[in-house]
Amino acid sequence: MATISETIRAPQVRQTQCFIGGQWTPSVSGKTFDTINPATEEVIAQVAEGDAADVDLAVEAAREAFDNGPWSTMDARDRGALLHRLADAIEGELDELAALESLDNGKPIRDSRAADLPLTIDCLRYYAGYADKIHGQTIPVRGNYFTYTRREPVGVAGQIIPWNFPMLMVAWKWGPALAAGCTIVMKPAEQTPLTCLRMARLAQKVGIPDGVINVVPGYGPTAGAAVVKHRGVDKVAFTGEYKTAQIIMRDASTTLKRLTFELGGKSPNIVFADADLEAAAAGAHFGLYFNQGQCCCAGSRLFVQDKIYDQFVDKLVSMNRARKLGNPLDPETEQGPQVDQAQFDKIMHYIDLGKKEGAECVSGGARFGDRGYFIEPTLFAGVEDEMSIAKDEIFGPVLSVLRFKDLDEIVDRANNTSYGLAAAVWTRDVAKAHTLAKKVRAGTVWINCYDVFDAAAPFGGFKMSGMGRELGEKGLDAYTETKTVTVSLS
Ligand code: NAI
Ligand code: MG
């Protein structure tokens, strides 16, 4: 095992309470829940279990900060400066935050350090720069009138996030909301509340005014649902499962809240025989196994062209054999455990189903070790379009490899899903690449690469993969209302 610094070996848990109106408080009920280390199944800490009463207090604080407080009167440029300071503060504690993320989520420290943290910081800086650049238009209209628009913050944003990229999801939600001038009630995932709470502490430290950011840890059907139903919340941004989004849509219908959803996928990753096969294999492997397969955009339907199919599968299998599973805090570890027992069980169920439905499990397929929620990198060959493992989001280290003949056939098969989050194509033929990019119904298409994210590039889903876009300039739409003002010049 490589040497592990003290900061990383034993990250400190400092915040475990609700953060409401700048105060750290136990839940109103006094209840707590355990957050678990998925590598050992041991309890890391007890965290305040918020519910409707806590959400009421958080919304009250967020409303006050929005309606009468410092946030609505602060110059936009000063808001941007605070966002920059938050990004700097996170950067200043990069190692410790990365370790805390790995402890709570189980992701390898090398990934937290190389991906989660830098992307989090970059996203906050990107939106810091937008704070003073959100403005309306002057519009020529008929008659003797002067018409202009204002882009105003939508108000109090309720933000509900999942556990797969805990800090990064905070940044994707806080960045545009704060830049636009909204205030926030956030409900982090019950599996991974720790880094969100730490970020709230850093926000307080750098001077983001009390009440602007409020965090209520707790469960979805209680704390989460209370955020969605609350009359004082103007908008809900949610990332997670489509079935949860369906519940949220129903719960939000009474108040007709603005909704944005970033949901799952069953993204096609298409490899043509004329591709750079080394690069394609590396990309296909990374595109599925990264983050233990717990990515909304995972390339979980890998379509490989007939004539290179066997050789390509062999390459992937040998990569799986070489993959290093183990302690997420060991810098050499490439794959950690799944986030919890429920996800572990769901994935094992799909592995069984794949075998039963007649796909060929050519690597992995079993639990790894006897402690923690580890699953071997698993690969199914000979997968057919109608099998469950080719249709359902598994959200684990399980790759389905399908065979295809030509371009005509692959477009329909790639689109034969209710999802539409991402897709990728590997080929040296420019026309083929762009034809697919045009015809695939997905919010993001990667050509000869996979999982390339940037704070400036909009991300979101077609069909049941989501509503609206996050990141980029587009990401601000979710947090602004357009107001039209018309003045008579007569
Ligand atoms: P989930 O959608 O239930 O949880 C995501 C967030 O929503 C959590 O903060 C949760 O507490 C909250 N939530 C749950 N029920 C709610 C409700 N009724 N009202 C308001 N908020 C609620 O996802 P879960 O159960 O953690 O994972 C199930 C599956 O969802 C995974 O196996 C995966 O397929 C998918 N998923 C997709 C993600 C993505 O990035 N698109 C992230 C996490 C899960
Ligand atoms: Mg759920």
Side-chain angles (χ1 to χ4, degrees):
M1 195 193 275
T3 47
I4 301 176
S5 78
E6 192 57 25
T7 312
I8 289 174
R9 197 187 57 73
Q12 297 296 305
V13 176
R14 300 177 210 268
Q15 288 79 30
T16 56
Q17 295 189 310
C18 302
F19 181 61
I20 298 174
Q23 304 296 313
W24 295 91
T25 58
S27 61
V28 171
S29 70
K31 281 203 256 178
T32 59
F33 65 98
D34 293 340
T35 188
I36 307 284
N37 175 350
T40 61
E41 303 175 42
E42 287 161 3
V43 176
I44 305 168
Q46 266 105 32
V47 176
E49 184 188 328
D51 201 335
D54 307 277
V55 169
D56 283 347
L57 295 172
V59 174
E60 200 181 305
R63 276 258 65 102
E64 178 60 24
F66 183 78
D67 295 331
N68 313 307
W71 210 233
S72 49
T73 50
M74 188 181 290
D75 285 338
R77 203 156 300 157
D78 296 334
R79 282 204 314 269
L82 284 172
L83 262 171
H84 270 299
R85 292 182 59 189
L86 176 58
D88 293 346
I90 292 168
E91 195 170 45
E93 294 191 3
L94 193 145
D95 265 355
E96 182 148 3
L97 279 162
L100 195 59
E101 193 77 319
S102 287
L103 182 74
D104 209 11
N105 167 282
K107 63 176 71 203
I109 186 77
R110 61 154 68 185
D111 292 345
S112 312
R113 270 170 161 171
D116 299 72
L117 264 292
L119 288 168
T120 296
I121 294 161
D122 207 45
C123 178
L124 293 172
R125 289 194 176 133
Y126 175 81
Y127 281 112
Y130 253 115
D132 60 354
K133 298 170 195 68
I134 301 171
H135 46 68
Q137 298 173 305
T138 60
I139 301 174
V141 295
R142 281 189 196 280
N144 197 17
Y145 299 101
F146 168 52
T147 294
Y148 65 95
T149 57
R150 292 169 46 79
R151 282 183 82 191
E152 298 185 354
V154 73
V156 173
Q159 303 184 320
I160 300 172
I161 56 169
W163 42 263
N164 54 342
F165 293 93
M167 287 193 77
L168 187 58
M169 291 300 101
V170 174
W172 284 27
K173 300 282 184 281
W174 289 6
L178 296 177
C182 294
T183 60
I184 290 167
V185 176
M186 171 162 275
K187 210 292 285 169
E190 55 273 26
Q191 295 87 346
T192 54
L194 297 179
T195 46
C196 174
L197 291 168
R198 179 71 65 89
M199 280 172 83
R201 173 64 190 131
L202 293 178
Q204 184 177 41
K205 255 187 171 165
V206 302
I208 293 181
D210 291 349
V212 171
I213 294 171
N214 305 277
V215 180
V216 181
Y219 292 100
T222 50
V227 171
V228 176
K229 290 175 184 164
H230 205 293
R231 292 198 168 270
V233 173
D234 298 289
K235 180 237 156 36
V236 169
F238 166 77
T239 299
E241 191 179 15
Y242 78 89
K243 290 177 193 158
T244 311
Q246 291 170 330
I247 297 171
I248 290 175
M249 212 175 212
R250 278 199 292 274
D251 283 351
S253 69
T254 331
T255 50
L256 290 179
K257 282 185 181 54
R258 282 91 189 92
L259 296 174
T260 40
F261 291 147
E262 202 269 275
L263 312 174
K266 193 74 189 174
S267 299
N269 188 5
I270 303 163
V271 182
F272 284 93
D274 66 0
D276 172 343
L277 294 185
E278 287 303 321
H285 196 267
F286 177 68
L288 185 283
Y289 296 106
F290 174 59
N291 209 39
Q292 294 66 246
Q294 303 166 145
C295 296
C296 50
C297 54
S300 52
R301 283 189 296 151
L302 178 62
F303 290 99
V304 180
Q305 201 165 18
D306 241 347
K307 52 188 154 192
I308 54 157
Y309 187 93
D310 293 333
Q311 129 193 32
F312 203 80
V313 165
D314 287 348
K315 261 189 214 294
L316 293 170
V317 169
S318 61
M319 291 167 89
N320 281 355
R321 295 219 172 98
R323 195 159 176 82
K324 195 168 179 302
L325 276 69
N327 178 6
L329 298 179
D330 179 343
E332 288 182 1
T333 295
E334 294 169 326
Q335 183 174 317
Q338 309 309 127
V339 78
D340 65 7
Q341 184 75 50
Q343 291 299 313
F344 177 90
D345 292 343
K346 174 182 170 186
I347 296 159
M348 292 311 291
H349 164 76
Y350 274 105
I351 290 175
D352 274 354
L353 214 53
K355 291 173 180 167
K356 281 193 191 120
E357 290 181 348
E360 189 195 349
C361 185
V362 285
S363 94
R367 173 179 206 141
F368 171 86
D370 51 14
R371 195 171 78 133
Y373 311 116
F374 292 89
I375 297 178
E376 292 174 347
T378 298
L379 187 146
F380 281 101
V383 178
E384 306 285 344
D385 292 11
E386 293 313 311
M387 293 178 181
S388 310
I389 55 169
K391 290 165 85 169
D392 300 349
E393 180 174 56
I394 301 174
F395 227 63
V398 182
L399 179 58
S400 296
V401 195
L402 303 95
R403 224 177 250 276
F404 78 97
K405 279 205 205 61
D406 54 33
L407 182 68
D408 291 341
E409 167 204 331
I410 198 58
V411 173
D412 288 343
R413 289 178 65 193
N415 285 334
N416 184 19
T417 167
S418 47
Y419 291 114
L421 192 58
V425 52
W426 300 81
T427 175
R428 287 192 166 100
D429 180 335
V430 178
K432 223 156 42 182
H434 290 282
T435 301
L436 259 166
K438 182 179 168 192
K439 291 194 169 170
V440 168
R441 310 240 325 129
T444 291
V445 179
W446 287 295
I447 298 174
N448 295 334
C449 56
Y450 208 96
D451 270 351
V452 178
F453 279 90
D454 193 285
F459 183 77
F462 281 34
K463 300 194 270 182
M464 287 179 76
S465 287
M467 261 169 50
R469 292 292 178 270
E470 294 189 292
L471 304 183
E473 189 180 9
K474 269 253 154 255
L476 291 164
D477 292 352
Y479 294 97
T480 54
E481 294 273 19
T482 297
K483 179 182 281 175
T484 303
V485 182
T486 295
V487 195
S488 167
L489 298 180
S490 317

